[in-house]
Amino acid sequence: MFRTTTMRRAAAEGAVIFLAGRLLAMVPTAFWPFWLFPAVLVARLVLWLAPPVWAAMRVKSTRREKMSRRFWKLGPQLAMVCALVDAGVALALGDVTLWGGAAGPPDAARFFASGATHLAPVVFALNEGIVLVVLALFYTMGVVCTRLANGGFMRFTMPAGNGRVTL
């Protein structure tokens, strides 16, 4: 019952999980009580790692399908959607610091600013390109490992006479 969705919907659900993590990262560190802050950091990490695993587990597949082309494409497609979500949040709300909170004004406003806060569109595109490459590599590995873990990593038959053993 859990694996009953299409690739498009699984990618959309993964993007929503990524968006939740990105918005959680925008909350300033001073907002959280000191005893809750480590749990917030763990939640941010889980929300960053979860989209490829969630999407790969949600897709309906045939009985014998383990790794087809569509699953190899799911990682880069999910990375593209998440990079677009990241660019939208950066343009509307700004970049995030390592521990949490906005690093400055929104990037859309920084395009027209002068001085130290100015952001060139080429630099913005380069930074988002780096984010896309990192997400594509990680999300492809996450989808592949999730799919392989669901169906077993290897399956082979040992030719041991009449009582063949499948591992």
Short mmCIF file of all heavy atoms in Angstrom, two decimals, residues 70-139:
data_model
loop_
_atom_site.label_atom_id
_atom_site.label_comp_id
_atom_site.label_asym_id
_atom_site.label_seq_id
_atom_site.Cartn_x
_atom_site.Cartn_y
_atom_site.Cartn_z
N ARG A 70 14.36 4.29 -15.47
CA ARG A 70 13.56 5.32 -14.81
C ARG A 70 14.04 5.57 -13.38
O ARG A 70 13.93 6.69 -12.89
CB ARG A 70 12.08 4.98 -14.86
CG ARG A 70 11.67 3.77 -14.08
CD ARG A 70 10.22 3.43 -14.36
NE ARG A 70 9.75 2.48 -13.37
CZ ARG A 70 8.65 2.64 -12.66
NH1 ARG A 70 7.92 3.71 -12.84
NH2 ARG A 70 8.29 1.75 -11.79
N PHE A 71 14.58 4.56 -12.72
CA PHE A 71 15.12 4.79 -11.38
C PHE A 71 16.48 5.47 -11.45
O PHE A 71 16.84 6.23 -10.55
CB PHE A 71 15.18 3.49 -10.59
CG PHE A 71 13.85 3.06 -10.08
CD1 PHE A 71 13.19 1.99 -10.65
CD2 PHE A 71 13.23 3.74 -9.06
CE1 PHE A 71 11.95 1.60 -10.20
CE2 PHE A 71 11.98 3.37 -8.60
CZ PHE A 71 11.34 2.29 -9.17
N TRP A 72 17.25 5.21 -12.49
CA TRP A 72 18.52 5.93 -12.66
C TRP A 72 18.26 7.40 -12.95
O TRP A 72 19.07 8.26 -12.60
CB TRP A 72 19.36 5.31 -13.76
CG TRP A 72 20.06 4.07 -13.33
CD1 TRP A 72 19.70 2.79 -13.59
CD2 TRP A 72 21.26 3.99 -12.54
NE1 TRP A 72 20.58 1.91 -13.01
CE2 TRP A 72 21.55 2.63 -12.37
CE3 TRP A 72 22.10 4.94 -11.97
CZ2 TRP A 72 22.65 2.18 -11.65
CZ3 TRP A 72 23.20 4.50 -11.26
CH2 TRP A 72 23.46 3.15 -11.10
N LYS A 73 17.14 7.70 -13.58
CA LYS A 73 16.80 9.09 -13.89
C LYS A 73 16.15 9.81 -12.71
O LYS A 73 16.13 11.04 -12.68
CB LYS A 73 15.86 9.15 -15.09
CG LYS A 73 16.51 8.75 -16.38
CD LYS A 73 15.49 8.81 -17.51
CE LYS A 73 16.09 8.33 -18.81
NZ LYS A 73 15.09 8.31 -19.89
N LEU A 74 15.59 9.06 -11.77
CA LEU A 74 14.88 9.68 -10.66
C LEU A 74 15.79 10.57 -9.81
O LEU A 74 15.39 11.65 -9.40
CB LEU A 74 14.22 8.61 -9.77
CG LEU A 74 13.47 9.12 -8.54
CD1 LEU A 74 12.32 10.03 -8.94
CD2 LEU A 74 12.95 7.96 -7.71
N GLY A 75 17.02 10.14 -9.55
CA GLY A 75 17.94 10.94 -8.75
C GLY A 75 18.23 12.30 -9.36
O GLY A 75 18.05 13.34 -8.71
N PRO A 76 18.68 12.36 -10.63
CA PRO A 76 18.92 13.68 -11.24
C PRO A 76 17.65 14.51 -11.40
O PRO A 76 17.69 15.74 -11.24
CB PRO A 76 19.51 13.33 -12.60
CG PRO A 76 20.13 11.99 -12.42
CD PRO A 76 19.24 11.29 -11.43
N GLN A 77 16.51 13.87 -11.68
CA GLN A 77 15.27 14.63 -11.79
C GLN A 77 14.88 15.25 -10.45
O GLN A 77 14.48 16.41 -10.38
CB GLN A 77 14.14 13.74 -12.29
CG GLN A 77 14.25 13.37 -13.74
CD GLN A 77 13.23 12.33 -14.16
OE1 GLN A 77 12.53 11.75 -13.32
NE2 GLN A 77 13.14 12.08 -15.45
N LEU A 78 15.00 14.47 -9.40
CA LEU A 78 14.70 14.98 -8.06
C LEU A 78 15.67 16.08 -7.67
O LEU A 78 15.29 17.08 -7.06
CB LEU A 78 14.74 13.84 -7.04
CG LEU A 78 14.40 14.18 -5.60
CD1 LEU A 78 12.98 14.72 -5.49
CD2 LEU A 78 14.57 12.96 -4.72
N ALA A 79 16.93 15.92 -8.05
CA ALA A 79 17.93 16.96 -7.76
C ALA A 79 17.60 18.25 -8.50
O ALA A 79 17.76 19.34 -7.94
CB ALA A 79 19.32 16.47 -8.15
N MET A 80 17.13 18.15 -9.73
CA MET A 80 16.76 19.34 -10.50
C MET A 80 15.60 20.07 -9.83
O MET A 80 15.62 21.29 -9.67
CB MET A 80 16.39 18.95 -11.92
CG MET A 80 15.95 20.11 -12.78
SD MET A 80 17.24 21.29 -13.09
CE MET A 80 18.07 20.47 -14.41
N VAL A 81 14.59 19.32 -9.41
CA VAL A 81 13.43 19.94 -8.75
C VAL A 81 13.86 20.58 -7.43
O VAL A 81 13.46 21.71 -7.12
CB VAL A 81 12.32 18.90 -8.54
CG1 VAL A 81 11.19 19.46 -7.69
CG2 VAL A 81 11.79 18.42 -9.87
N CYS A 82 14.69 19.88 -6.66
CA CYS A 82 15.13 20.43 -5.37
C CYS A 82 16.04 21.63 -5.55
O CYS A 82 16.01 22.57 -4.75
CB CYS A 82 15.81 19.34 -4.54
SG CYS A 82 14.66 18.10 -3.93
N ALA A 83 16.85 21.64 -6.59
CA ALA A 83 17.70 22.81 -6.87
C ALA A 83 16.84 24.01 -7.26
O ALA A 83 17.14 25.15 -6.88
CB ALA A 83 18.71 22.49 -7.96
N LEU A 84 15.76 23.78 -8.00
CA LEU A 84 14.84 24.87 -8.33
C LEU A 84 14.13 25.38 -7.08
O LEU A 84 13.95 26.59 -6.92
CB LEU A 84 13.83 24.41 -9.37
CG LEU A 84 14.38 24.20 -10.78
CD1 LEU A 84 13.32 23.59 -11.68
CD2 LEU A 84 14.89 25.50 -11.36
N VAL A 85 13.76 24.48 -6.19
CA VAL A 85 13.15 24.88 -4.92
C VAL A 85 14.15 25.70 -4.11
O VAL A 85 13.81 26.75 -3.54
CB VAL A 85 12.67 23.65 -4.13
CG1 VAL A 85 12.34 24.01 -2.69
CG2 VAL A 85 11.46 23.03 -4.81
N ASP A 86 15.41 25.25 -4.07
CA ASP A 86 16.45 25.97 -3.34
C ASP A 86 16.67 27.36 -3.94
O ASP A 86 16.81 28.34 -3.20
CB ASP A 86 17.75 25.16 -3.38
CG ASP A 86 18.84 25.82 -2.57
OD1 ASP A 86 18.66 25.98 -1.35
OD2 ASP A 86 19.88 26.19 -3.16
N ALA A 87 16.67 27.46 -5.26
CA ALA A 87 16.83 28.76 -5.91
C ALA A 87 15.65 29.68 -5.60
O ALA A 87 15.84 30.88 -5.34
CB ALA A 87 16.99 28.58 -7.41
N GLY A 88 14.44 29.13 -5.60
CA GLY A 88 13.27 29.94 -5.27
C GLY A 88 13.31 30.46 -3.85
O GLY A 88 12.99 31.63 -3.60
N VAL A 89 13.70 29.61 -2.91
CA VAL A 89 13.80 30.05 -1.52
C VAL A 89 14.92 31.08 -1.37
O VAL A 89 14.76 32.08 -0.65
CB VAL A 89 14.02 28.84 -0.57
CG1 VAL A 89 14.34 29.30 0.84
CG2 VAL A 89 12.79 27.96 -0.56
N ALA A 90 16.03 30.88 -2.05
CA ALA A 90 17.13 31.84 -1.97
C ALA A 90 16.73 33.19 -2.56
O ALA A 90 17.09 34.24 -2.02
CB ALA A 90 18.36 31.30 -2.70
N LEU A 91 15.98 33.17 -3.66
CA LEU A 91 15.54 34.43 -4.25
C LEU A 91 14.52 35.14 -3.37
O LEU A 91 14.53 36.36 -3.26
CB LEU A 91 14.94 34.18 -5.64
CG LEU A 91 15.93 33.85 -6.74
CD1 LEU A 91 15.21 33.43 -8.00
CD2 LEU A 91 16.85 35.03 -7.01
N ALA A 92 13.63 34.39 -2.74
CA ALA A 92 12.57 35.00 -1.94
C ALA A 92 12.98 35.32 -0.51
O ALA A 92 12.60 36.36 0.03
CB ALA A 92 11.35 34.08 -1.92
N LEU A 93 13.76 34.42 0.12
CA LEU A 93 14.09 34.59 1.54
C LEU A 93 15.57 34.82 1.81
O LEU A 93 15.93 35.33 2.88
CB LEU A 93 13.62 33.36 2.34
CG LEU A 93 12.13 33.06 2.28
CD1 LEU A 93 11.82 31.76 3.00
CD2 LEU A 93 11.33 34.21 2.87
N GLY A 94 16.44 34.37 0.94
CA GLY A 94 17.87 34.53 1.13
C GLY A 94 18.57 33.22 1.39
O GLY A 94 17.94 32.16 1.50
N ASP A 95 19.88 33.30 1.48
CA ASP A 95 20.68 32.12 1.77
C ASP A 95 20.65 31.84 3.27
O ASP A 95 20.29 32.68 4.07
CB ASP A 95 22.13 32.33 1.31
CG ASP A 95 22.24 32.36 -0.20
OD1 ASP A 95 21.50 31.60 -0.86
OD2 ASP A 95 23.06 33.13 -0.71
N VAL A 96 21.09 30.64 3.62
CA VAL A 96 21.06 30.21 5.01
C VAL A 96 22.48 30.08 5.54
O VAL A 96 23.40 29.75 4.78
CB VAL A 96 20.28 28.88 5.14
CG1 VAL A 96 20.99 27.75 4.46
CG2 VAL A 96 19.98 28.55 6.56
N THR A 97 22.66 30.34 6.82
CA THR A 97 23.96 30.12 7.45
C THR A 97 24.09 28.66 7.84
O THR A 97 23.13 27.90 7.76
CB THR A 97 24.13 31.01 8.70
OG1 THR A 97 23.13 30.65 9.65
CG2 THR A 97 24.01 32.48 8.36
N LEU A 98 25.28 28.28 8.27
CA LEU A 98 25.53 26.89 8.61
C LEU A 98 24.64 26.42 9.76
O LEU A 98 24.07 25.33 9.71
CB LEU A 98 27.00 26.69 8.97
CG LEU A 98 27.41 25.29 9.40
CD1 LEU A 98 27.20 24.32 8.24
CD2 LEU A 98 28.84 25.27 9.87
N TRP A 99 24.50 27.20 10.80
CA TRP A 99 23.74 26.80 11.98
C TRP A 99 22.27 27.13 11.87
O TRP A 99 21.46 26.63 12.63
CB TRP A 99 24.33 27.42 13.23
CG TRP A 99 25.72 26.98 13.47
CD1 TRP A 99 26.85 27.71 13.29
CD2 TRP A 99 26.15 25.68 13.87
NE1 TRP A 99 27.95 26.95 13.57
CE2 TRP A 99 27.55 25.69 13.94
CE3 TRP A 99 25.49 24.51 14.20
CZ2 TRP A 99 28.29 24.59 14.31
CZ3 TRP A 99 26.23 23.41 14.55
CH2 TRP A 99 27.61 23.45 14.61
N GLY A 100 21.90 28.00 10.95
CA GLY A 100 20.49 28.36 10.76
C GLY A 100 20.30 29.85 10.76
O GLY A 100 21.09 30.61 11.32
N GLY A 101 19.25 30.28 10.10
CA GLY A 101 18.96 31.70 9.99
C GLY A 101 19.43 32.24 8.65
O GLY A 101 20.27 31.66 7.97
N ALA A 102 18.85 33.37 8.30
CA ALA A 102 19.19 34.00 7.02
C ALA A 102 20.58 34.61 7.07
O ALA A 102 20.97 35.23 8.06
CB ALA A 102 18.16 35.06 6.67
N ALA A 103 21.32 34.44 5.98
CA ALA A 103 22.67 34.99 5.90
C ALA A 103 22.67 36.44 5.45
O ALA A 103 23.70 37.10 5.49
CB ALA A 103 23.52 34.16 4.95
N GLY A 104 21.55 36.93 5.03
CA GLY A 104 21.45 38.30 4.55
C GLY A 104 20.11 38.53 3.89
O GLY A 104 19.18 37.73 4.05
N PRO A 105 20.01 39.58 3.12
CA PRO A 105 18.74 39.85 2.44
C PRO A 105 18.48 38.82 1.33
O PRO A 105 19.38 38.09 0.93
CB PRO A 105 18.94 41.25 1.86
CG PRO A 105 20.41 41.43 1.77
CD PRO A 105 21.00 40.61 2.87
N PRO A 106 17.25 38.75 0.83
CA PRO A 106 16.95 37.83 -0.27
C PRO A 106 17.83 38.10 -1.48
O PRO A 106 18.22 39.24 -1.75
CB PRO A 106 15.48 38.11 -0.58
CG PRO A 106 14.94 38.73 0.65
CD PRO A 106 16.06 39.45 1.30
N ASP A 107 18.12 37.06 -2.23
CA ASP A 107 19.02 37.20 -3.37
C ASP A 107 18.42 38.05 -4.47
O ASP A 107 19.15 38.72 -5.20
CB ASP A 107 19.39 35.82 -3.91
CG ASP A 107 20.34 35.08 -2.99
OD1 ASP A 107 20.85 35.70 -2.03
OD2 ASP A 107 20.57 33.88 -3.22
N ALA A 108 17.10 38.06 -4.61
CA ALA A 108 16.48 38.90 -5.62
C ALA A 108 16.74 40.38 -5.33
O ALA A 108 16.97 41.17 -6.25
CB ALA A 108 14.98 38.63 -5.69
N ALA A 109 16.74 40.76 -4.06
CA ALA A 109 17.04 42.14 -3.69
C ALA A 109 18.52 42.44 -3.83
O ALA A 109 18.91 43.58 -4.13
CB ALA A 109 16.58 42.41 -2.26
N ARG A 110 19.36 41.43 -3.65
CA ARG A 110 20.81 41.64 -3.74
C ARG A 110 21.27 41.87 -5.18
O ARG A 110 22.34 42.42 -5.41
CB ARG A 110 21.55 40.44 -3.16
CG ARG A 110 21.38 40.33 -1.66
CD ARG A 110 22.07 39.14 -1.10
NE ARG A 110 23.50 39.17 -1.38
CZ ARG A 110 24.30 38.13 -1.29
NH1 ARG A 110 23.82 36.96 -0.93
NH2 ARG A 110 25.57 38.23 -1.56
N PHE A 111 20.47 41.45 -6.16
CA PHE A 111 20.82 41.71 -7.55
C PHE A 111 20.89 43.21 -7.84
O PHE A 111 21.70 43.66 -8.64
CB PHE A 111 19.81 41.07 -8.51
CG PHE A 111 19.88 39.58 -8.57
CD1 PHE A 111 18.73 38.85 -8.86
CD2 PHE A 111 21.05 38.88 -8.38
CE1 PHE A 111 18.77 37.47 -8.94
CE2 PHE A 111 21.10 37.50 -8.44
CZ PHE A 111 19.95 36.80 -8.72
N PHE A 112 20.02 43.97 -7.19
CA PHE A 112 19.93 45.41 -7.44
C PHE A 112 20.61 46.25 -6.38
O PHE A 112 20.57 47.47 -6.45
CB PHE A 112 18.45 45.81 -7.56
CG PHE A 112 17.72 44.98 -8.58
CD1 PHE A 112 16.81 44.01 -8.19
CD2 PHE A 112 17.96 45.16 -9.93
CE1 PHE A 112 16.14 43.25 -9.13
CE2 PHE A 112 17.30 44.40 -10.88
CZ PHE A 112 16.39 43.44 -10.48
N ALA A 113 21.23 45.61 -5.41
CA ALA A 113 21.92 46.34 -4.34
C ALA A 113 23.30 46.77 -4.83
O ALA A 113 23.82 46.29 -5.84
CB ALA A 113 22.05 45.47 -3.10
N SER A 114 23.89 47.68 -4.09
CA SER A 114 25.25 48.10 -4.42
C SER A 114 26.13 47.88 -3.20
O SER A 114 25.66 47.73 -2.08
CB SER A 114 25.26 49.58 -4.82
OG SER A 114 24.80 50.36 -3.74
N GLY A 115 27.40 47.81 -3.44
CA GLY A 115 28.35 47.64 -2.34
C GLY A 115 28.60 46.18 -2.04
O GLY A 115 28.60 45.31 -2.92
N ALA A 116 28.79 45.89 -0.75
CA ALA A 116 29.20 44.55 -0.33
C ALA A 116 28.06 43.53 -0.45
O ALA A 116 28.33 42.34 -0.55
CB ALA A 116 29.68 44.59 1.12
N THR A 117 26.82 43.99 -0.44
CA THR A 117 25.71 43.04 -0.52
C THR A 117 25.30 42.72 -1.95
O THR A 117 24.42 41.89 -2.16
CB THR A 117 24.47 43.59 0.22
OG1 THR A 117 24.09 44.82 -0.38
CG2 THR A 117 24.76 43.77 1.70
N HIS A 118 25.93 43.33 -2.95
CA HIS A 118 25.57 43.08 -4.35
C HIS A 118 25.87 41.63 -4.72
O HIS A 118 26.89 41.07 -4.34
CB HIS A 118 26.33 44.02 -5.28
CG HIS A 118 26.07 43.73 -6.73
ND1 HIS A 118 24.86 43.99 -7.31
CD2 HIS A 118 26.86 43.19 -7.69
CE1 HIS A 118 24.91 43.62 -8.58
NE2 HIS A 118 26.11 43.13 -8.83
N LEU A 119 24.97 41.04 -5.48
CA LEU A 119 25.13 39.67 -5.97
C LEU A 119 24.93 39.68 -7.48
O LEU A 119 23.87 40.07 -7.97
CB LEU A 119 24.12 38.73 -5.31
CG LEU A 119 24.14 37.28 -5.78
CD1 LEU A 119 25.45 36.60 -5.38
CD2 LEU A 119 22.97 36.52 -5.19
N ALA A 120 25.94 39.27 -8.20
CA ALA A 120 25.84 39.20 -9.65
C ALA A 120 25.01 37.97 -10.04
O ALA A 120 25.13 36.92 -9.41
CB ALA A 120 27.21 39.12 -10.28
N PRO A 121 24.17 38.09 -11.05
CA PRO A 121 23.38 36.92 -11.48
C PRO A 121 24.24 35.73 -11.91
O PRO A 121 23.85 34.59 -11.72
CB PRO A 121 22.56 37.45 -12.66
CG PRO A 121 22.48 38.92 -12.43
CD PRO A 121 23.76 39.30 -11.75
N VAL A 122 25.43 35.99 -12.43
CA VAL A 122 26.33 34.91 -12.83
C VAL A 122 26.80 34.14 -11.60
O VAL A 122 26.88 32.90 -11.61
CB VAL A 122 27.52 35.47 -13.63
CG1 VAL A 122 28.54 34.39 -13.90
CG2 VAL A 122 27.05 36.13 -14.90
N VAL A 123 27.10 34.85 -10.52
CA VAL A 123 27.54 34.19 -9.28
C VAL A 123 26.39 33.37 -8.70
O VAL A 123 26.59 32.25 -8.22
CB VAL A 123 28.06 35.25 -8.28
CG1 VAL A 123 28.36 34.62 -6.94
CG2 VAL A 123 29.27 35.95 -8.83
N PHE A 124 25.19 33.93 -8.74
CA PHE A 124 24.02 33.19 -8.25
C PHE A 124 23.82 31.91 -9.06
O PHE A 124 23.60 30.83 -8.49
CB PHE A 124 22.77 34.07 -8.33
CG PHE A 124 21.51 33.35 -7.96
CD1 PHE A 124 21.21 33.11 -6.63
CD2 PHE A 124 20.62 32.92 -8.93
CE1 PHE A 124 20.05 32.44 -6.27
CE2 PHE A 124 19.46 32.25 -8.59
CZ PHE A 124 19.17 32.01 -7.26
N ALA A 125 23.90 32.02 -10.38
CA ALA A 125 23.73 30.84 -11.23
C ALA A 125 24.83 29.82 -10.99
O ALA A 125 24.58 28.61 -10.99
CB ALA A 125 23.70 31.26 -12.70
N LEU A 126 26.06 30.27 -10.78
CA LEU A 126 27.17 29.36 -10.50
C LEU A 126 26.96 28.63 -9.18
O LEU A 126 27.16 27.41 -9.09
CB LEU A 126 28.49 30.12 -10.49
CG LEU A 126 29.74 29.29 -10.23
CD1 LEU A 126 29.99 28.34 -11.39
CD2 LEU A 126 30.94 30.19 -10.01
N ASN A 127 26.54 29.36 -8.16
CA ASN A 127 26.28 28.73 -6.85
C ASN A 127 25.15 27.71 -6.94
O ASN A 127 25.23 26.62 -6.36
CB ASN A 127 25.95 29.79 -5.80
CG ASN A 127 27.17 30.59 -5.42
OD1 ASN A 127 28.30 30.16 -5.61
ND2 ASN A 127 26.94 31.79 -4.90
N GLU A 128 24.09 28.04 -7.65
CA GLU A 128 22.98 27.09 -7.79
C GLU A 128 23.38 25.91 -8.66
O GLU A 128 22.90 24.80 -8.46
CB GLU A 128 21.75 27.79 -8.37
CG GLU A 128 21.09 28.74 -7.39
CD GLU A 128 20.67 28.08 -6.09
OE1 GLU A 128 20.18 26.93 -6.12
OE2 GLU A 128 20.82 28.71 -5.04
N GLY A 129 24.30 26.12 -9.60
CA GLY A 129 24.83 25.01 -10.39
C GLY A 129 25.62 24.04 -9.53
O GLY A 129 25.52 22.82 -9.71
N ILE A 130 26.39 24.57 -8.60
CA ILE A 130 27.14 23.72 -7.67
C ILE A 130 26.17 22.93 -6.79
O ILE A 130 26.36 21.73 -6.55
CB ILE A 130 28.11 24.57 -6.83
CG1 ILE A 130 29.22 25.11 -7.72
CG2 ILE A 130 28.69 23.76 -5.67
CD1 ILE A 130 30.10 26.15 -7.05
N VAL A 131 25.12 23.60 -6.31
CA VAL A 131 24.10 22.91 -5.52
C VAL A 131 23.46 21.79 -6.34
O VAL A 131 23.26 20.67 -5.84
CB VAL A 131 23.03 23.91 -5.02
CG1 VAL A 131 21.81 23.19 -4.45
CG2 VAL A 131 23.62 24.84 -3.98
N LEU A 132 23.19 22.06 -7.61
CA LEU A 132 22.58 21.05 -8.48
C LEU A 132 23.49 19.84 -8.66
O LEU A 132 23.04 18.69 -8.58
CB LEU A 132 22.25 21.65 -9.84
CG LEU A 132 21.72 20.68 -10.90
CD1 LEU A 132 20.41 20.07 -10.46
CD2 LEU A 132 21.59 21.38 -12.23
N VAL A 133 24.78 20.06 -8.86
CA VAL A 133 25.72 18.95 -9.05
C VAL A 133 25.82 18.11 -7.78
O VAL A 133 25.78 16.88 -7.83
CB VAL A 133 27.10 19.48 -9.48
CG1 VAL A 133 28.15 18.40 -9.40
CG2 VAL A 133 27.03 20.05 -10.88
N VAL A 134 25.93 18.76 -6.63
CA VAL A 134 26.03 18.03 -5.36
C VAL A 134 24.76 17.22 -5.11
O VAL A 134 24.81 16.04 -4.74
CB VAL A 134 26.32 19.00 -4.20
CG1 VAL A 134 26.15 18.32 -2.86
CG2 VAL A 134 27.72 19.58 -4.33
N LEU A 135 23.60 17.85 -5.31
CA LEU A 135 22.34 17.14 -5.10
C LEU A 135 22.18 15.99 -6.10
O LEU A 135 21.69 14.92 -5.73
CB LEU A 135 21.16 18.09 -5.21
CG LEU A 135 20.95 19.07 -4.06
CD1 LEU A 135 19.78 19.98 -4.34
CD2 LEU A 135 20.75 18.35 -2.75
N ALA A 136 22.58 16.20 -7.34
CA ALA A 136 22.44 15.14 -8.35
C ALA A 136 23.30 13.94 -7.99
O ALA A 136 22.84 12.79 -8.09
CB ALA A 136 22.82 15.67 -9.73
N LEU A 137 24.51 14.17 -7.56
CA LEU A 137 25.38 13.05 -7.17
C LEU A 137 24.81 12.32 -5.95
O LEU A 137 24.70 11.09 -5.94
CB LEU A 137 26.79 13.54 -6.88
CG LEU A 137 27.60 14.02 -8.07
CD1 LEU A 137 28.90 14.65 -7.62
CD2 LEU A 137 27.86 12.87 -9.01
N PHE A 138 24.46 13.07 -4.93
CA PHE A 138 23.97 12.44 -3.70
C PHE A 138 22.63 11.77 -3.92
O PHE A 138 22.41 10.66 -3.45
CB PHE A 138 23.89 13.46 -2.57
CG PHE A 138 23.32 12.87 -1.33
CD1 PHE A 138 24.08 12.00 -0.56
CD2 PHE A 138 22.01 13.10 -0.97
CE1 PHE A 138 23.55 11.41 0.57
CE2 PHE A 138 21.47 12.51 0.16
CZ PHE A 138 22.25 11.67 0.92
N TYR A 139 21.71 12.44 -4.59
CA TYR A 139 20.37 11.89 -4.76
C TYR A 139 20.38 10.67 -5.66
O TYR A 139 19.59 9.75 -5.47
CB TYR A 139 19.40 12.95 -5.27
CG TYR A 139 18.95 13.91 -4.19
CD1 TYR A 139 19.49 13.88 -2.91
CD2 TYR A 139 17.98 14.86 -4.44
CE1 TYR A 139 19.07 14.75 -1.93
CE2 TYR A 139 17.54 15.74 -3.47
CZ TYR A 139 18.10 15.68 -2.22
OH TYR A 139 17.68 16.53 -1.25
#
